Amino acid sequence: MKFRLLTLALSLTILFFSSCSSPEEKAKKADADKKVRVAEDDKADSLLLVYNPAKGDKWIADFVQNLHKKYGFNGNMLVAKDGKILYEKAIGWADYLHRDSLKINSEFELASITKTFTGVAVMQLVEAGKLKLTDDVKKFYPNFPYDGITIELLLSHRSGMMNYVYFIDDIWRKEKRNMKKGVSNQEVMEIIADKKPNPYTKPNNRFHYNNSNFMVLGAIIEKVTGQRFSQYMMEHVFKPAGLKHTHVYSTTEYEKIPVDVVGHDRTWRYSVAQNFLDGPVGDKGIYSTLHDLVLYDKYLKNGRLLTQKSIDSAYKGRNKAVNGHFNYGYGWRMFDGENGRKVVYHTGWWHGFRHIYVRDVQKNIVVIFLGNLTNGSLMHLDELYKYLKMPIIRKGAYSGSGSLPGSDED
């Protein structure tokens, strides 16, 4: 009898405490469950990436061929809508010098598209309580020479920092340092603390796009997690989203980046060699494929990588809109249209690579152009956007006041 009474009391106690779980706790558990990858994910992902060239969209095929012949586009491209690939194409050379052709699964240096991934990592750490958007950089790097720069200002390009790329490039050339050996984020932070370069403007004064913001965020991610940026991203972003062909490659970890796609600058006369500036990551340094970027879009939408609250925060413009529509949130550029139409995207331009990654959130459309010849061909996509019934993602297509010179380059 005593045993039965004890069992009953224990059962009632468990029931009581479980029923007292707050809605917030239940929501946290549900979000945690969403982020666990299960066996069915691989099957669903493979179905999402099915493409039959015989059924490819003929209009898009003709458009891409014209973009290649008339404007010199060289790279990989894909358009998907409602979970179906409408058209994909690898067109041109992976390495012109050796006449190696691109393949549909070729990995490209994503350049500034990397910033979207870094933004995701930062928001994950905010969700985990390891970072706050109001945290000052000095909390993690006490010798940082600037006051009042927070995580939020870095994410939205409002820190006012100078661009470290030009700053340390000048130092390396004047001091004749080793141009091949990669410099790490932590080393750049030490150089900034030592040299104290003049900032571009005061913190939170205005939008000024530059790589320093996300290089610093990369350094903070490493400091907070105790992991290399490459390790954190693999464990918390790439693997959960099933991105099997996405990596962080830095010349601090690799003497030669292990991919076959070479960046070419404007003409085929020369390829762009990797050097010490390919060491810092967070602002760049992630390599990926068309198909992995389709999966990235999927797992950003279904809650695997971030809660909807974090997503909404990242997609909110944090600056004065350019030409009435274009803005920048937390690691994402965006187009805000009528009736709440939201398109988020990012461009990329680094060492011979030129890209655009566009996600029409409402219409469930993904447009990806990954190029390894920087010739301006991606300025000629207006007709494709019109065909897809999307807003034209090009600031010059709209009237209104633009950004100040040098403030919005990539």
Side-chain angles (χ1 to χ4, degrees):
M1 177 65 74
K2 287 182 178 180
F3 177 75
R4 288 181 179 176
L5 289 173
L6 184 61
T7 302
L8 178 62
L10 182 60
S11 299
L12 289 173
T13 300
I14 293 172
L15 180 63
F16 173 77
F17 281 108
S18 63
S19 64
C20 288
S21 295
S22 67
E24 290 80 6
E25 289 171 335
K26 290 179 179 178
K28 284 183 179 179
K29 185 179 184 304
D31 286 333
D33 290 342
K34 284 182 184 178
K35 295 179 181 181
V36 177
R37 192 167 181 84
V38 296
E40 289 77 13
D41 287 333
D42 282 340
K43 182 178 180 181
D45 290 350
S46 63
L47 291 174
L48 175 62
L49 301 176
V50 167
Y51 174 69
N52 182 353
K55 296 182 179 180
D57 187 292
K58 184 65 168 57
W59 189 94
I60 300 177
D62 291 341
F63 174 85
V64 173
Q65 191 61 31
N66 183 64
L67 192 70
H68 172 63
K69 286 188 173 182
K70 186 175 180 180
Y71 297 107
F73 172 70
N74 188 95
N76 288 5
M77 63 76 57
L78 179 150
V79 176
K81 183 177 182 181
D82 295 329
K84 179 184 177 182
I85 297 175
L86 301 181
Y87 186 74
E88 65 180 27
K89 182 74 172 179
I91 187 164
W93 304 110
D95 181 350
Y96 181 75
L97 179 64
H98 296 95
R99 298 300 193 272
D100 292 334
S101 296
L102 286 164
K103 302 174 181 62
I104 205 67
N105 59 350
S106 293
E107 284 188 36
F108 287 70
E109 151 70 275
L110 292 184
S112 287
I113 294 174
T114 295
K115 292 180 174 69
T116 71
F117 287 88
T118 303
V120 167
V122 169
M123 296 307 290
Q124 285 181 340
L125 293 171
V126 170
E127 289 181 2
K130 296 180 179 180
L131 283 178
K132 294 180 181 178
L133 292 173
T134 54
D135 282 341
D136 194 289
V137 177
K138 283 180 175 286
K139 177 179 178 180
F140 312 101
Y141 292 91
N143 293 332
F144 192 66
Y146 314 117
D147 293 319
I149 295 181
T150 64
I151 300 291
E152 182 174 29
L153 295 182
L154 295 170
L155 282 169
S156 54
H157 291 290
R158 297 186 64 84
S159 73
M161 289 183 68
M162 78 304 149
N163 193 328
Y164 83 93
V165 172
Y166 306 125
F167 173 67
I168 68 169
D169 182 67
D170 187 54
I171 292 173
W172 255 243
R173 293 181 187 280
K174 285 181 178 178
E175 299 182 4
K176 297 182 179 179
R177 298 195 187 188
N178 187 341
M179 303 290 281
K180 293 183 178 180
K181 186 178 184 297
V183 59
S184 70
N185 291 56
Q186 305 305 324
E187 289 172 319
V188 175
M189 294 299 285
E190 290 170 6
I191 292 168
I192 290 173
D194 178 49
K195 303 290 186 180
K196 301 177 177 57
N198 292 328
Y200 182 80
T201 186
K202 294 179 180 179
N204 207 25
N205 182 46
R206 51 164 288 195
F207 175 74
H208 175 61
Y209 181 96
N210 81 75
N211 284 330
S212 292
N213 296 303
F214 280 74
M215 182 281 298
V216 174
L217 288 173
I220 290 172
I221 289 169
E222 292 185 330
K223 182 63 74 74
V224 168
T225 65
Q227 295 179 296
R228 294 195 303 272
F229 183 78
S230 58
Q231 293 172 316
Y232 180 87
M233 298 304 293
M234 182 60 71
E235 181 179 341
H236 295 275
V237 181
F238 304 160
K239 284 186 176 179
L243 310 185
K244 298 176 181 178
H245 306 286
T246 302
H247 308 87
V248 176
Y249 289 135
S250 164
T251 49
T252 62
E253 297 183 45
Y254 296 85
E255 186 175 345
K256 183 182 185 303
I257 304 299
V259 297
D260 298 325
V261 182
V262 176
H264 302 85
D265 194 10
R266 300 188 185 279
T267 70
W268 292 116
R269 292 179 183 176
Y270 63 94
S271 58
V272 181
Q274 295 151 354
N275 63 17
F276 70 102
L277 288 171
D278 292 287
V281 292
D283 54 327
K284 52 184 167 40
I286 291 180
Y287 288 68
S288 191
T289 66
L290 292 174
H291 288 172
D292 272 14
L293 289 175
V294 172
L295 295 179
Y296 181 43
D297 169 75
K298 170 185 174 178
Y299 287 104
L300 282 168
K301 289 176 179 173
N302 75 356
R304 173 65 54 80
L305 297 176
L306 289 173
T307 65
Q308 189 59 49
K309 180 180 178 182
S310 293
I311 288 289
D312 291 343
S313 183
Y315 295 170
K316 181 180 178 181
R318 305 288 171 173
N319 299 283
K320 182 180 179 180
V322 176
N323 291 4
H325 297 285
F326 294 92
N327 213 318
Y328 203 99
Y330 293 159
W332 289 96
R333 296 181 182 274
M334 63 200 61
F335 176 96
D336 289 318
E338 296 178 357
N339 301 316
R341 185 71 178 275
K342 174 78 70 172
V343 177
V344 295
Y345 70 103
H346 216 291
T347 51
W349 189 357
W350 177 254
H351 279 184
F353 292 95
R354 193 73 171 101
H355 320 306
I356 188 165
Y357 177 48
V358 184
R359 302 171 54 235
D360 189 322
V361 179
Q362 270 82 1
K363 297 294 184 179
N364 198 20
I365 300 172
V366 180
V367 176
I368 309 168
F369 281 83
L370 303 179
N372 63 328
L373 179 64
T374 54
N375 55 10
S377 59
L378 298 187
M379 296 298 293
H380 302 279
L381 303 181
D382 293 17
E383 294 306 314
L384 175 62
Y385 295 131
K386 291 176 184 177
Y387 175 74
L388 296 170
K389 295 181 171 58
M390 291 176 61
I392 295 173
I393 306 303
R394 185 173 59 81
K395 294 185 180 70
Y398 301 86
S399 60
S401 59
S403 57
L404 294 175
S407 67
D408 195 26
E409 75 276 4
D410 207 352

